[in-house]
Amino acid sequence: MLLTEETIRAGLKTSVVGSTIHCREIVDSTNEEGWREGVRGASDGTVIFAEEQRAGRGRMGRRWTAPRGKGLLFSVILRPRLAASRVGLVTAIGALTVVDALHEACGLRPEIRFPNDVLIGGRKIAGILVESRFISNIADIFVVGIGLNVNMDRADFPPDIQTPATSVFLESGREAGRALLARRMLEALDRWYEVLLHGSPAAITARWREVSMVIGKRVAVREGDRVTEGVVDDVDPVEGVILRTANGTVAHIRGEFIEHLRIIG
Ligand code: BTN
């Protein structure tokens, strides 16, 4: 069944996110569509869903592919007036949104792999791409793009992906209603957006650490040609990951530079 505004909106409890909802069949990228709408003046909380993307974007210039109609592919335009110190938390609330909505809608307990992958049992179930651009005369805009694997079976995933993938279907053993999941996503983002705007940043950081799967783990972090191995002492959505390496030095690596973080043990 195609996603429609009506089915997503039925019983939706949000104050900002979902102020306008567009459901498209095919787009290049919902994030790109978000920028087009944003520049035209779309309101804070406008959401664009698509059944299929022809040029879905992932982090670090990678592609995001998903078979038509089996996932949730959407982007939310946020136009907050944010103190500079809170800007780095926008990505964190994207990841927390997915974690909370998957728990509320399906009883699943995903974890966050720094900087912003959502995994269950070591397999990736969702990716988040937050983009911000400077456009003169337009106040800050963020486009929060979320790709969630919903009803994919094993054979729906390409064999050559970096992190093995999973889906709601594979984790829960049954097909999930995408409209309900979409609604829970918008509601969770609405709550976290309120915290970002008016609440304590510490509440975001604390919850984010709680569901972070890397603290205390031995990891290999790749930035370009450089790979740094170490044990994660701490992780923070803005400050990055703090690694204790084998020779006793402490490396501090921010999320935007990380191409891949592999958990070794
Ligand atoms: C990643 O893990 O690299 C981030 C993937 C983000 C994919 C989503 S799908 C909806 C939105 N539109 C895009 O083009 N990308 C994001």
Side-chain angles (χ1 to χ4, degrees), residues 8-151:
I8 294 169
R9 216 177 255 302
L12 179 72
K13 293 187 194 70
T14 60
S15 50
V16 177
V17 176
S19 53
T20 299
I21 297 176
H22 299 289
C23 292
R24 307 261 155 82
E25 282 206 43
I26 303 177
V27 295
D28 45 1
S29 145
T30 57
N31 270 34
E32 201 49 48
E33 192 69 6
W35 285 111
R36 286 189 285 264
E37 292 288 340
V39 170
R40 270 187 231 129
S43 61
D44 194 18
T46 295
V47 192
I48 299 121
F49 285 91
E51 299 293 338
E52 185 180 338
Q53 295 185 123
R54 293 275 160 87
R57 292 205 278 270
R59 286 183 68 240
M60 299 282 174
R62 292 190 281 252
R63 298 290 295 268
W64 182 268
T65 57
R68 180 184 170 81
K70 290 202 173 184
L72 275 184
L73 307 168
F74 66 103
S75 300
V76 185
I77 300 167
L78 298 180
R79 316 189 82 130
R81 293 202 175 276
L82 270 190
S85 60
R86 293 188 182 215
V87 166
L89 293 173
V90 181
T91 298
I93 68 165
L96 288 175
T97 292
V98 176
V99 168
D100 285 358
L102 281 176
H103 184 58
E104 285 155 19
C106 317
L108 297 172
R109 293 205 174 271
E111 296 175 299
I112 297 172
R113 180 181 67 183
F114 190 74
N116 56 357
D117 291 331
V118 181
L119 279 76
I120 297 183
R123 293 174 174 269
K124 184 160 167 174
I125 195 161
I128 295 116
L129 178 68
V130 175
E131 296 176 325
S132 59
R133 292 180 189 169
F134 176 77
I135 301 167
S136 59
N137 298 328
I138 298 186
D140 289 351
I141 306 187
F142 295 86
V143 174
V144 179
I146 297 181
L148 172 71
N149 301 332
V150 184
N151 288 323

